[in-house]
Amino acid sequence: MEKNYHMTPGQFREEGKKLIDWIADYYEQVENYPVLSTVQPGDIRKQLPPQAPEKGEPFDAMMSDVNKLIMPGITHWQSPNFFAYFQSNTSGPSILGELLSAGLGVQGMLWATSPACTELESQVMDWLVDMMGLPAHFKTTASGGGVIQDTASNAALAALLAARERKTNFSSNLTGESSRLVAYVSTQTHSSVEKGIKVMGIGTNRLRKIEVDEHFAMRPEALENQLKKDMKNGFIPFFVCGTVGTTSSNAVDPLREIGEICKKYDVWFHVDAAMSGTAAVCPEFRSHFDGLQLADSYAFNPHKWMFTNFDCDCFYVADKAILIKTLSILPEYLKNEATEKGAVIDYRDWHVQLGRRFRALKLWFVIRHYGAEGLRYHIGEHIRLARELASWIKTSADFELLNEPPFNLVCFRHKASDEFNKKLMDRLNKSGRIYLTHTVLNGTFWLRMSIGQTQTKQEHVARAWELIREMAKQ
Amino acid sequence: MEKNYHMTPGQFREEGKKLIDWIADYYEQVENYPVLSTVQPGDIRKQLPPQAPEKGEPFDAMMSDVNKLIMPGITHWQSPNFFAYFQSNTSGPSILGELLSAGLGVQGMLWATSPACTELESQVMDWLVDMMGLPAHFKTTASGGGVIQDTASNAALAALLAARERKTNFSSNLTGESSRLVAYVSTQTHSSVEKGIKVMGIGTNRLRKIEVDEHFAMRPEALENQLKKDMKNGFIPFFVCGTVGTTSSNAVDPLREIGEICKKYDVWFHVDAAMSGTAAVCPEFRSHFDGLQLADSYAFNPHKWMFTNFDCDCFYVADKAILIKTLSILPEYLKNEATEKGAVIDYRDWHVQLGRRFRALKLWFVIRHYGAEGLRYHIGEHIRLARELASWIKTSADFELLNEPPFNLVCFRHKASDEFNKKLMDRLNKSGRIYLTHTVLNGTFWLRMSIGQTQTKQEHVARAWELIREMAKQ
């Protein structure tokens, strides 16, 4: 006899609507949870059964366990009091876009496996070029093109790989030129580039960490000196990463000067603006991106600050042919008419993964829901709040500010010892009322407050500052 | 004046519930859509506005465009008449798990950034070890451990990287031993390993494609001969990939014999069972996995056949310390107490990406909804249907069967020319009534029917076979 263990559409309607309400309730109450989870290692696991159930269970049982077992182990990234790391935002239209993508369940590895998945992605990526004042040659309709990668880590890896192939004329292997390749970052560049260097088989002793200036931005003259020195020693420079908004302190590397050096020495120039890239929706912050025209590749993450669920990294290249040549492999079972005619984009050839889901939906929903106007407003507000916080810190007797925040990250410290600041951070985080993280710059411990959570408003920043001063006094 | 462009919880409730109904409606009607999209290249894009909207739009406008512009460009992977490639399944509990994950919007890069995200993943991965009869040392509570990767491509890459590090004693760079590394696959291994070899900087001329037997399974003696020959020539074998259920024909490599060769020559043994791995929920199919005990790493994709939304690849290693040592990088801004004490798993060190979403939720929901019993039933049914289709093909005068399907992939062809079979496939796919793909084996064109879509039942397979015979006659 035929059995059916699947959830029926009727059950899906019922449970789905309850879950929609659950999520709406969550956002209405998220401020009441301690931001940083207070559980100890193993607390969650020990409450879970040691074996998978033999018999199916009703959906209510799962949701009851979500409430009882999972929620205490959640650090609330969607709390307006989350100021840690860089944000990883959601928004209503984005969650619904993710839901629709999950419901349709299509694979976008090839154009043919769902043309809309590819074409909407190309269109939305091109929209962003205009909306954010990015170089026009990044458009898919020009020489370049954009693709949604999962993370800035994989975007950096794709850039590294394409850079190597270009430099070695697509003959990369472990002998010959490849063994003399050298890459350049600053001491402040995100660790994902170092990880990428390891992954691609270039020893990390071939990664040069260029020194930075007093604003933690790469020194172009130091870069050029190192390039010359390496070439003199028989090395082959192939990749430079510049950053708009470093993770530690939001420093902005001088893209134009770095880009000109890259052109001069024929080196791939990648620009990482994972967090701060979203600021380019506001014309008044685009001066920080001056020189991006010289970049071979560029990445920023709507899943950080553009109210779009993880994962959604926008990765652009100036010359898509190089990227595709780097990453394409076409086995027989993936051959199809549209691909063979060359009339389409097959995004499988733009990243390491083969499979890919319909991620453009959520980004499309977000852009249409907010409009360029709404995005400008909320991003501008976050930056305004960061500057306001910076101004409070500057007038405080006990605290010092690292620098004027170019975007939405405020680095500051109590004038007491590093040990004091560490303890202050731990106490603040353990209070559950806010969550912030730290960095070390020039050997000194600094508190970091990133003001970029979707729902963070003036009142949250003001209360956080009040709490920080209060706890520092205790 | 403070403005607010965000979707309110009230709007989210309303639009979310409408979208839940839309998805339920979709699953009730999915059979009425042509399976393979019939649009031409550019058809979707040209209907989309050239610029992002300046003003925000109501959610209804987006959903109206989804219906009008997007749906014609969808290839319906969730149709029970989808027999192409390998499936990429969804199910009710999985879609809801994905929705909950999007709603919570947490990052699981570190244990501390949401302990439940890490601990539930470890627990569910360990559940699967017992539920599927996998080697007990794959458990996180033993020497090994499991992690959810996005795809089998990245699982293979992680395995390759760990294999290289182990073989070069964690001193991998472009000189010395690394320049003599050689990897081994069969002629039938998935192209992702070749892509991984390129990514990691080992020229594809260092990838040996070992010949296969009459069942398209790797010949162990040919592997051993090649290993000996390479070592004699000064190469260093570091990686062998065996497959349970190849993409072309579902061939099963002899894991035990390959594994013993790998032990003998101290080579990393990775087993890829991306599609067919799910069959191990049924004890009667576990003989195909004999020898998996000898594997250093193993991957299978619940996002293919276990009713779990993409992306969800289960990746296991026998020795987690090697994988972690291979992929860990700890910058200052990610340091935290739990990590420093070493009491927790930080899954960031188990893959290339830093960020990761809460993917264990959907897998947990699926396992609990179906129970082991429900999963066994539906997987067993798909395999039974594949065998039934195979029996019909065998008794047909006009068609021939490639081989007895070990799992759920049926390869067959009309006894006429390759050209005839190609035309037959194109006509079947253009009819919109079913979607199937092809492969080429020993120079001959074969049709592939993968019977593994969540909702595929006897009636769909029977109607597909009827349609195939009918169209072949025309």
Side-chain angles (χ1 to χ4, degrees):
Chain A
M1 196 196 72
E2 211 167 82
K3 296 184 204 171
N4 183 5
Y5 293 83
H6 300 305
M7 185 182 273
T8 64
Q11 286 174 304
F12 180 80
R13 284 178 209 275
E14 193 185 325
E15 302 301 345
K17 289 173 190 175
K18 283 196 274 181
L19 182 53
I20 289 287
D21 275 329
W22 188 98
I23 293 171
D25 291 346
Y26 175 64
Y27 281 86
E28 284 171 342
Q29 299 158 14
V30 66
E31 285 192 63
N32 303 331
Y33 291 97
V35 191
L36 177 66
S37 169
T38 56
V39 299
Q40 293 302 306
D43 278 358
I44 306 293
R45 252 196 110 159
K46 72 184 174 205
Q47 297 180 74
L48 297 166
Q51 303 281 337
E54 171 60 21
K55 297 274 179 193
E57 300 175 55
F59 198 75
D60 276 351
M62 277 90 105
M63 287 309 296
S64 155
D65 281 353
V66 165
N67 290 320
K68 206 173 64 184
L69 308 180
I70 302 300
M71 292 308 283
I74 293 296
T75 292
H76 298 278
W77 287 70
Q78 304 314 321
S79 165
N81 300 312
F82 184 101
F83 300 103
Y85 305 105
F86 281 143
Q87 276 72 21
S88 184
N89 276 340
T90 66
S91 65
S94 173
I95 295 169
L96 297 180
E98 198 74 287
L99 170 59
L100 179 57
S101 171
L104 288 172
V106 303
Q107 275 294 329
M109 57 191 185
L110 303 170
W111 177 87
T113 60
S114 266
C117 179
T118 294
E119 296 196 12
L120 183 65
E121 185 161 327
S122 299
Q123 188 74 0
V124 169
M125 292 297 288
D126 282 4
W127 275 7
L128 288 174
V129 170
D130 288 331
M131 202 178 95
M132 306 177 79
L134 305 179
H137 60 262
F138 280 173
K139 285 192 184 179
T140 53
T141 50
S143 63
V147 60
I148 300 179
Q149 296 260 6
D150 56 357
T151 59
S153 299
N154 266 323
L157 179 59
L160 281 161
L161 296 171
R164 172 169 65 186
E165 295 294 341
R166 188 175 74 175
K167 184 51 89 179
T168 59
N169 197 23
F170 300 91
S171 64
S172 77
N173 55 53
L174 284 168
T175 55
E177 286 181 335
S178 290
S179 66
R180 291 180 285 130
L181 295 175
V182 182
Y184 303 79
V185 296
S186 87
T187 58
Q188 300 298 308
T189 304
H190 192 266
S191 59
S192 56
V193 177
E194 186 171 341
K195 199 163 179 176
I197 286 285
K198 281 180 74 171
V199 165
M200 74 194 296
I202 295 185
T204 49
N205 58 337
R206 298 290 170 77
L207 181 68
R208 310 288 187 236
K209 295 187 178 175
I210 305 297
E211 62 180 287
V212 293
D213 65 16
E214 70 280 15
H215 303 295
F216 305 98
M218 188 190 284
R219 288 188 186 276
E221 70 285 5
L223 170 67
E224 187 163 15
N225 288 342
Q226 185 66 45
L227 277 162
K228 284 187 193 164
K229 189 175 151 195
D230 284 329
M231 286 185 290
K232 205 173 145 191
N233 290 329
F235 291 110
I236 304 171
F238 82 107
F239 179 89
V240 173
C241 181
T243 305
V244 179
T246 60
T247 308
S248 265
S249 69
N250 246 350
V252 179
D253 290 333
L255 300 190
R256 183 163 294 281
E257 289 166 89
I258 297 172
E260 280 163 4
I261 293 168
C262 289
K263 289 285 172 225
K264 185 170 164 189
Y265 297 97
D266 188 25
V267 176
W268 187 285
F269 182 32
H270 176 65
V271 176
D272 171 17
M275 178 73 187
S276 305
T278 296
V281 298
C282 304
E284 64 269 33
F285 302 115
R286 287 187 194 155
S287 59
H288 292 302
F289 298 84
D290 177 57
L292 188 57
Q293 298 83 342
L294 301 167
D296 294 290
S297 53
Y298 175 63
F300 83 98
N301 295 352
H303 73 226
K304 283 194 163 71
W305 197 12
M306 207 189 264
F307 316 130
T308 305
N309 276 72
F310 184 93
D311 42 3
C312 185
D313 165 273
C314 290
F315 177 60
Y316 290 96
V317 287
D319 180 351
K320 61 178 162 287
I322 292 176
L323 181 67
I324 293 169
K325 198 172 167 193
T326 299
L327 290 168
S328 67
I329 284 182
L330 183 58
E332 183 65 35
Y333 45 78
L334 294 181
K335 287 186 181 165
N336 67 87
E337 202 179 306
T339 297
E340 286 179 13
K341 281 186 183 158
V344 297
I345 284 177
D346 289 323
Y347 273 128
R348 155 207 69 167
D349 297 330
W350 295 53
H351 45 52
V352 172
Q353 301 94 336
L354 173 57
R356 63 199 322 268
R357 64 193 207 288
F358 199 165
R359 288 182 291 212
L361 279 175
K362 61 188 171 190
L363 190 52
W364 188 46
F365 280 8
V366 165
I367 296 169
R368 293 185 65 179
H369 170 85
Y370 286 94
E373 176 189 70
L375 293 173
R376 281 198 305 270
Y377 174 76
H378 285 293
I379 298 304
E381 268 296 285
H382 284 152
I383 296 175
R384 186 186 67 75
L385 292 172
R387 292 180 175 183
E388 197 157 334
L389 173 63
S391 75
W392 299 335
I393 293 166
K394 275 195 291 187
T395 58
S396 134
D398 300 332
F399 288 85
E400 58 183 323
L401 183 71
L402 176 72
N403 53 19
E404 287 298 329
F407 301 112
N408 63 332
L409 178 68
V410 183
C411 294
F412 64 103
R413 65 193 306 281
H414 194 278
K415 289 174 181 167
S417 67
D418 279 5
E419 203 45 50
F420 182 93
N421 279 283
K422 267 182 226 175
K423 273 192 195 150
L424 175 60
M425 179 178 79
D426 284 345
R427 286 198 54 194
L428 285 164
N429 290 344
K430 280 178 184 158
S431 80
R433 292 170 60 191
I434 64 171
Y435 180 27
L436 78 176
T437 50
H438 79 283
T439 190
V440 171
L441 291 160
N442 292 339
T444 301
F445 187 97
W446 293 87
L447 301 169
R448 288 171 80 262
M449 262 183 78
S450 175
I451 297 168
Q453 209 288 323
T454 310
Q455 304 290 344
T456 299
K457 292 182 194 157
Q458 175 99 23
E459 67 204 63
H460 303 103
V461 179
R463 275 207 302 263
W465 176 233
E466 198 180 326
L467 182 70
I468 292 164
R469 281 183 305 165
E470 212 171 85
M471 284 224 174
K473 276 185 195 140
Q474 287 170 11
Chain B
M1 197 198 72
E2 212 167 83
K3 295 185 204 171
N4 184 4
Y5 293 83
H6 301 306
M7 185 181 273
T8 65
Q11 286 175 305
F12 180 81
R13 284 177 209 274
E14 192 184 327
E15 302 301 344
K17 288 173 189 175
K18 283 195 274 180
L19 182 52
I20 289 287
D21 275 330
W22 188 99
I23 293 171
D25 292 347
Y26 174 64
Y27 281 86
E28 284 172 343
Q29 297 159 15
V30 65
E31 285 192 64
N32 303 330
Y33 290 97
V35 190
L36 178 65
S37 169
T38 57
V39 300
Q40 294 301 306
D43 278 358
I44 306 292
R45 254 197 109 160
K46 72 184 173 204
Q47 298 179 75
L48 297 166
Q51 303 281 336
E54 172 61 19
K55 297 272 177 192
E57 299 176 55
F59 199 75
D60 275 352
M62 278 90 106
M63 287 310 296
S64 155
D65 282 351
V66 165
N67 290 319
K68 206 173 64 183
L69 307 180
I70 300 300
M71 291 309 282
I74 293 295
T75 291
H76 298 277
W77 286 70
Q78 304 314 321
S79 166
N81 300 311
F82 184 100
F83 301 103
Y85 306 103
F86 281 144
Q87 276 72 22
S88 185
N89 277 339
T90 66
S91 65
S94 172
I95 295 169
L96 297 181
E98 198 74 288
L99 171 58
L100 178 57
S101 170
L104 288 172
V106 304
Q107 276 295 329
M109 57 191 186
L110 303 170
W111 176 87
T113 60
S114 264
C117 180
T118 294
E119 296 197 11
L120 183 65
E121 185 162 327
S122 299
Q123 188 75 358
V124 169
M125 292 297 287
D126 282 4
W127 276 7
L128 289 174
V129 170
D130 288 331
M131 201 178 94
M132 306 177 80
L134 303 179
H137 59 262
F138 281 173
K139 286 193 184 177
T140 52
T141 50
S143 63
V147 60
I148 299 179
Q149 296 260 6
D150 56 356
T151 58
S153 299
N154 266 324
L157 179 59
L160 281 161
L161 296 171
R164 172 170 64 186
E165 295 294 340
R166 188 175 74 174
K167 184 52 90 179
T168 59
N169 197 22
F170 300 91
S171 64
S172 77
N173 55 52
L174 284 167
T175 54
E177 286 181 334
S178 291
S179 66
R180 291 179 283 130
L181 295 175
V182 182
Y184 302 80
V185 296
S186 88
T187 58
Q188 301 298 308
T189 305
H190 192 268
S191 59
S192 55
V193 177
E194 187 171 339
K195 199 163 179 176
I197 286 286
K198 282 179 74 171
V199 165
M200 73 195 295
I202 295 186
T204 51
N205 59 337
R206 297 290 169 77
L207 181 68
R208 310 290 188 233
K209 295 187 178 175
I210 305 298
E211 62 179 288
V212 293
D213 65 17
E214 69 278 18
H215 303 296
F216 305 98
M218 188 190 283
R219 287 187 187 276
E221 70 285 5
L223 171 66
E224 186 162 16
N225 289 341
Q226 185 66 47
L227 277 162
K228 284 187 194 163
K229 191 175 150 192
D230 285 330
M231 286 186 290
K232 207 174 141 189
N233 290 328
F235 291 111
I236 304 171
F238 82 106
F239 179 89
V240 173
C241 181
T243 305
V244 178
T246 60
T247 309
S248 265
S249 70
N250 245 351
V252 179
D253 289 334
L255 301 191
R256 183 164 294 281
E257 289 166 88
I258 296 172
E260 280 163 3
I261 293 168
C262 289
K263 290 283 172 228
K264 187 170 163 188
Y265 297 97
D266 188 25
V267 177
W268 187 284
F269 182 32
H270 176 64
V271 176
D272 172 17
M275 178 72 187
S276 304
T278 296
V281 297
C282 306
E284 63 270 34
F285 302 116
R286 287 186 193 156
S287 59
H288 292 301
F289 298 84
D290 178 56
L292 187 57
Q293 298 83 344
L294 300 168
D296 293 291
S297 54
Y298 174 63
F300 83 98
N301 295 353
H303 74 225
K304 284 195 162 70
W305 198 12
M306 207 189 262
F307 316 130
T308 306
N309 276 71
F310 184 91
D311 40 7
C312 185
D313 164 274
C314 290
F315 177 61
Y316 291 97
V317 287
D319 180 352
K320 60 178 163 286
I322 292 177
L323 181 67
I324 293 168
K325 196 170 167 193
T326 300
L327 290 169
S328 67
I329 284 181
L330 182 59
E332 184 65 34
Y333 45 79
L334 294 181
K335 287 184 181 166
N336 67 87
E337 199 180 308
T339 297
E340 285 178 14
K341 282 186 182 157
V344 297
I345 284 178
D346 290 324
Y347 273 128
R348 156 208 70 165
D349 296 330
W350 294 54
H351 45 51
V352 173
Q353 301 93 336
L354 173 57
R356 63 199 321 269
R357 64 193 207 286
F358 198 166
R359 288 182 291 213
L361 278 176
K362 61 187 170 190
L363 189 53
W364 187 48
F365 280 8
V366 166
I367 295 170
R368 293 186 65 179
H369 170 85
Y370 287 94
E373 176 189 70
L375 293 173
R376 281 198 306 270
Y377 174 76
H378 285 293
I379 298 304
E381 268 295 285
H382 283 153
I383 297 175
R384 187 187 67 74
L385 292 172
R387 291 178 176 183
E388 197 156 334
L389 173 63
S391 75
W392 299 335
I393 292 166
K394 275 196 288 187
T395 58
S396 134
D398 299 333
F399 287 85
E400 58 184 323
L401 183 72
L402 176 72
N403 53 19
E404 288 298 331
F407 301 112
N408 64 331
L409 178 68
V410 183
C411 294
F412 65 103
R413 66 192 306 281
H414 193 277
K415 288 174 181 166
S417 67
D418 278 6
E419 204 44 51
F420 180 93
N421 279 283
K422 266 181 227 178
K423 274 192 193 149
L424 175 60
M425 180 179 79
D426 283 345
R427 286 199 53 195
L428 286 164
N429 290 344
K430 279 178 184 160
S431 79
R433 293 169 61 191
I434 64 172
Y435 181 26
L436 76 178
T437 49
H438 79 283
T439 191
V440 170
L441 291 160
N442 292 339
T444 301
F445 186 97
W446 292 88
L447 301 169
R448 290 170 79 263
M449 263 181 78
S450 175
I451 297 169
Q453 208 288 320
T454 311
Q455 304 290 344
T456 299
K457 292 182 193 158
Q458 176 100 20
E459 68 204 63
H460 303 104
V461 179
R463 276 206 303 263
W465 175 234
E466 199 180 325
L467 182 70
I468 291 164
R469 282 183 306 165
E470 214 172 82
M471 284 223 174
K473 278 186 193 136
Q474 286 170 14

